[in-house]
Amino acid sequence: MKYIDEFRDGEVAQKIAARIHAEVQPGRRYSFMEFCGGHTHAISRYGVSELLPESVRMIHGPGCPVCVLPIGRIDHAIKAALEHNAIVCTYGDTMRVPASDGLSLIKAKARGGDIRMVYSAADALRIALENPLREVVFFAIGFETTTPPTALVLREAAARKIDNFSVLCCHVLTPSAITHILESPEVRDYGTVPIDGFIGPAHVSIVIGSGPYEHFAEEYRKPVVVAGFEPLDVIQAILMLVRQVNEGRSEVENEFVRAVTTEGNLVAQTLVSDVFELRTTFEWRGLGEVPYSALRIRSAFASYDAEKKFGLAYKPVADNKACECGAILRGVKRPTDCKLFGTVCTPENPMGSCMVSSEGACAAHYSYGRFKDIPVVTA
Amino acid sequence: MKYIDEFRDGEVAQKIAARIHAEVQPGRRYSFMEFCGGHTHAISRYGVSELLPESVRMIHGPGCPVCVLPIGRIDHAIKAALEHNAIVCTYGDTMRVPASDGLSLIKAKARGGDIRMVYSAADALRIALENPLREVVFFAIGFETTTPPTALVLREAAARKIDNFSVLCCHVLTPSAITHILESPEVRDYGTVPIDGFIGPAHVSIVIGSGPYEHFAEEYRKPVVVAGFEPLDVIQAILMLVRQVNEGRSEVENEFVRAVTTEGNLVAQTLVSDVFELRTTFEWRGLGEVPYSALRIRSAFASYDAEKKFGLAYKPVADNKACECGAILRGVKRPTDCKLFGTVCTPENPMGSCMVSSEGACAAHYSYGRFKDIPVVTA
Amino acid sequence: MCLAIPVRVVEVRPGQQAVIDLAGVRKEISTALVEDVSVGEYVIVHVGYAIGKVDPDEAQRTLEMFNEMEQAQASPPPAAPEQLT
Amino acid sequence: MCLAIPVRVVEVRPGQQAVIDLAGVRKEISTALVEDVSVGEYVIVHVGYAIGKVDPDEAQRTLEMFNEMEQAQASPPPAAPEQLT
Amino acid sequence: MSGMVKKNYTRPIDFKNGRIDMGHGAGGRSSAQLIEELFVAAFDNEWLRQGNDGASLSLPAGRLVMATDAHVVSPLFFPGGDIGCLSVHGTINDVAMMGATPLYLSASFILEEGFPLAELKRIIESMAAASREAGVPIVTGDTKVVERGKGDGVFISTTGIGVVAPGIDIDGAYARPGDAILVSGHIGSHGVAIMSQRESLAFETEILSDTAALHGLVAAMLAAVPAVHVLRDPTRGGVATTLNEIAKQSGVGMLLDEAAIPVLPQVEAACEFLGLDPLYVANEGKLLAICAEQDAEQLLAAMRAHPLGADAARIGTVIEDAHGFVQMKTRFGGRRVVDWLSGEQLPRIC
Amino acid sequence: MSGMVKKNYTRPIDFKNGRIDMGHGAGGRSSAQLIEELFVAAFDNEWLRQGNDGASLSLPAGRLVMATDAHVVSPLFFPGGDIGCLSVHGTINDVAMMGATPLYLSASFILEEGFPLAELKRIIESMAAASREAGVPIVTGDTKVVERGKGDGVFISTTGIGVVAPGIDIDGAYARPGDAILVSGHIGSHGVAIMSQRESLAFETEILSDTAALHGLVAAMLAAVPAVHVLRDPTRGGVATTLNEIAKQSGVGMLLDEAAIPVLPQVEAACEFLGLDPLYVANEGKLLAICAEQDAEQLLAAMRAHPLGADAARIGTVIEDAHGFVQMKTRFGGRRVVDWLSGEQLPRIC
Ligand code: SF4
Ligand code: SF4
Ligand SMILES: [Mg+2]
Ligand SMILES: [Mg+2]
Ligand SMILES: [Mg+2]
Ligand SMILES: [Mg+2]
Ligand SMILES: [Mg+2]
Ligand SMILES: [Mg+2]
Ligand SMILES: [Mg+2]
Ligand SMILES: [Mg+2]
Ligand SMILES: [Mg+2]
Ligand SMILES: [Mg+2]
């Protein structure tokens, strides 16, 4: 597969790794946060960390749209299905996220909710056309990558007056989340989370460009390397970050230059701002209320806004007390710091959202990295 | 079972049979029509004819509400289900009656029609209450026995404004059918169907009383004995008819005096005439158009009339050409006179309605009497 | 289709309903079509509705008529059926 | 969740649709979010929508950068990544 | 840190409020947990515990018999039983009707998403009890989950194998004119028990389903009369249809005596109500036996000596008839055909 | 007049436009006709023709193996196969994986009212062809019909029995540290072929399901290396889950080499698209074999000599690990756990 296989080459990885090993300065520690779950997943699945020197530590960031979805938003989707008898269409990843009352979308489905996994926002609109007597709600989650398709179907629903269709908009914004982390006391004041640089999002950056990260490099003096999601992209980005640290630079570099430009996809950006506007605040799981961190549907499309259509008022719901998702999403803790990890909390019975998506830090460690927690004797 | 078992006593039957054998006059033939399918069924199931002398012949009449339902009416019910997406509730007996295009209600159900067997008209109304978003049509067939319950649910639907409920009314009247047979050329002119007397309906007569038959006895000089549906009732009625013939009487006698009075059930009669009115004409399978032989829903209940609600215009449809149902229902032919009987036409694949209901002459002969058509050698 | 059977009323319920019994089988039916149903009476039930009652005396007389046949050969028979005309 | 992959456009269809190919797997996708898609180009597809294109020259340069590592030890490396600040 | 990964799945299944979801059928850890904590625990035998995709079994000498049944009964729980024990009895009986001693069962489950685990547990425990009581272990199985609306709670297909002792030769084709036809007890109870639970029919009765494993009765019968010609359990379609099947297989006719056929009064009453004939109503714990006239007395005595045959009766005789008619002398004194069931008398009773 | 009653049912079934109705499952004459004109005609063997409720079979000496599978695949027809042949292969393979020669199958059908008879015929004929080709007859069966909306066209449960030749002893518990892990060919084709047909995913590919009966391959393998330790077909849950099952049964760990695992490029591409891992995608014509290191070469050679094992490869080694982890050296050079499938990767693929 062109543009995929070349970026997974183990031999090349060894070379880049050798470079990192050669260039890290003795006695110095390098802590980098990969913001995106896509990077987290790649690191775990391909075993990238094993190639890194002891002194380089990767911190998983909050860039998994499933993980940051707060319980109250899942509750909305369940309510639409169970109380308003709507067909709720959702990307498969959200199905197992724990919600209130021991429910989740998959459990609500087993209880009779008409909840359907879709591959694309367009499928949800098609389902609305095929079921004119039913309300169809598209549970729209995701970062800037996923927002433009939602904008397209909203615009199409309005143009074609598909009035049994609506969108439960939970789209969130990457830069606000990064700001939030940089502003957090752990990073800013206590230094409990020593972040020496960021690996910037791959696919989000295709849409928004690398421009928005310049602020972080300048304002917070943090190096940023935008990188693709293939393992060579990740390891190369780490090398580039190591070099920036070594050289005292804090710049935005673009490793994913084959797909990411400075300004991003302007068609998509225009469309998104035609259909959506900023929410003044939005709750993220783990981060709490984050100002200007999410989108809502503009009033011109109000009749396609599921929150308005079904009068869904947002109610924050506390996470499981023992679950450390919040701290993990802020980079303060690791999955194995959680007492529930691997015992009470497993992918079959997730207690927190980080154990749900394969991009979640807990799920990634459970599925791919768990063996490191125990001594293994090979025959 | 009190009032049932005593009326099925084989020993008593032998005594009554002996009486008939003793009283039939040598050289004389006795042809009696049992109007009702209930009597037809009892005669076949209990083997009553085997107890009778050669000279007594029973002719099966048209008193099976399933058998006389013309194709066009079944088509209406199928249309309501398949084209109007209504839930069609029906008494089980109608499920296999052949309709147009090789369909039947059971086949329409297999094609996706929401067709449900009910035990009682009240069940259909309950289904309407449980499915407020669906149209529910009760396919109401039957003679005077079955009409009053339909009247009750129609009245209740109107009183409670259960507006998704309607009735496809195919209720027919016994006396008009008897008149039609007596007026038919075969009986009146050619004498091809020599009817020396009638066994009058059992349960119909509970409702309408024995009074309405007096007209036949007087006008057409035909003895009538109203009889219960148990085998002793039937054989006793035959004896009473033999006696009337022997004595040259033509009276209405009531063998079923334990349940039938002269005037019948006045509560039921009043209710029926409150809700229904006479149709000027109605097609019967086998008999063709019979004037004033059926009921329609009064205009006060028009919004519960499925014919009006769904704009169902009646279109007569010709029966299978080879099927002799018509002649059989008029008493002109017997099941074994039909070329299709037992070969092309069986209860699994009925070609005509008489092969459907267990009260139909063809089905009764097929299921119970077929062995008489072939020599049987017992070991 | 005109299937109807005589059953004994064992309980009268509000809303013109009654519970009937047939050899241990019990079922709720409607009595909206008959007047004054009491416990112990036999009604004839069709599609869940009582459409009439059984007159026990007449039933007895009919049974006797079946059997008296044996003795009395002449007609009219001793316990003649009710003549309606 | 942000799963997206580079695929080759093999057919451009009316209504802003295109057929793409990935190692013999073909699928119709929407090109409503990118301008001027032509056959032979590689687009990056996410949830059934092309969200961007792959620049073949830049891709080549990145691959070269991975390998040139070997020779050139000093920084800045010979084929430096695009500097944005 | 090794204490952290305690087991493969740690939280026990919530059998109180949980429901089947698609994951239970996906073949991963949830499936494995369901199988281990419910099926293996309840059926509890060495073969299942081994966890292979099949069972490896030892067999005594003799011809092998294999029989299978799909169970789709509605409602799942009915007076006197449930789909669980029914699925054990139904297949054991088919094996026993071939004259074999049933030895092992397999079970395959098709579960509907959303089905309450508490009900599944009840069913599995009933199945386990039936298998234990019968002494026939469930040695292998399979479980699939279908989406809500594509199933009906639980469907169970069971397959049984057993071995025929030397000298026993039973087949539906062995009825001969002159043979006696016996039934092991009152007929129609299963079908009536099921119907009494149907929402639209809903009546009260004390009738329980007769569901039972008949191999013990068969063993007693074969001990008394090894030369039994035919055995068959009159399930779907009832006694009438089963006898027609045998008549067709053997190329004979039959003549029944209605007065001799045992039917409980409540069953008769329920049938009167619904316009049904008990001859067509399903049984799940009765058998029909056909043997030579000279063996009839002894076979009947052996049946009556067994608790499941206490009400056994001789109900007719095999006759010569090229047309294969089953006829009946009615209690009323007439004669009539007892035909195959046509169409459906009742939906989904076994 | 005797010519009038010609047969028990005279009009042949309308396999062109007809549909399943409730009567086909009621156990009466319609059921009998469907069985005779479709199932018995297609499967065509002495046991079914006898028309008993079970089959009486003769067996060679050896331990008996019994295995069962419920098949609920959607769509019913897919590139390379359909539920009919799948239901034959799936159970034959489970029997073969116990080291047994499959001899007989039973089949139970749960049909949904309204299912087109033409499609049913296609399925049954495909099943018959698969059974003929494999030389494993379907000797007994059962058919039930459920109301529209309570099924999904056709569900088929099959049970197979077979006999293990003396000297063969295969079990999921027999993997030992140091053993070699082999796979018989490219993985993931079945699951991808099914997914390509799903309305919401709908992609085009030339990938066909690999559905196949593997007993011939197994026979060849056992002829070469009778001491094979474990055989297992990686169906639902894929290679990953199956290896985890074996690791658990045997109390060992495993170390796989990602680069050695054969995956077709199209399968890899489809998995990229859907965010899936081919290790978790179902196979229906592949097997995993575990044998002693010293037998590995010979076993691999025997597999490659058979058409169904042409692309066989050694993919890993059994290791000691009390936690039963399956680990993998990634093509990239890292190491990771290959866990059990959690939840459902794909709905209803076998
Ligand atoms: S292991 Fe589970 S409970 Fe613990 S932090 Fe992760 S998701 Fe939350
Ligand atoms: S046998 Fe069939 S075709 Fe012939 S008259 Fe009777 S119903 Fe009609
Ligand atoms: Mg069976
Ligand atoms: Mg059985
Ligand atoms: Mg049986
Ligand atoms: Mg299985
Ligand atoms: Mg259901
Ligand atoms: Mg299996
Ligand atoms: Mg299998
Ligand atoms: Mg298997
Ligand atoms: Mg069966
Ligand atoms: Mg369906």
Side-chain angles (χ1 to χ4, degrees), chain F residues 190-209:
Chain F
H190 177 71
V192 166
I194 295 277
M195 278 182 285
S196 70
Q197 302 299 301
R198 294 267 161 82
E199 185 195 22
S200 58
L201 306 178
F203 51 84
E204 276 165 50
T205 148
E206 275 144 33
I207 294 285
L208 303 180
S209 164

Side-chain angles (χ1 to χ4, degrees), chain B residues 96-144:
Chain B
R96 295 190 167 265
V97 181
S100 298
D101 306 321
L103 282 179
S104 63
L105 284 166
I106 204 167
K107 286 185 182 150
K109 180 167 181 261
R111 270 169 175 72
D114 193 345
I115 294 162
R116 308 189 189 176
M117 282 191 253
V118 291
Y119 172 74
S120 149
D123 293 334
L125 196 62
R126 180 181 47 73
I127 289 171
L129 281 167
E130 288 167 2
N131 296 274
L133 300 174
R134 299 281 305 277
E135 282 296 331
V136 175
V137 174
F138 177 52
F139 185 31
I141 68 157
F143 285 101
E144 291 89 342

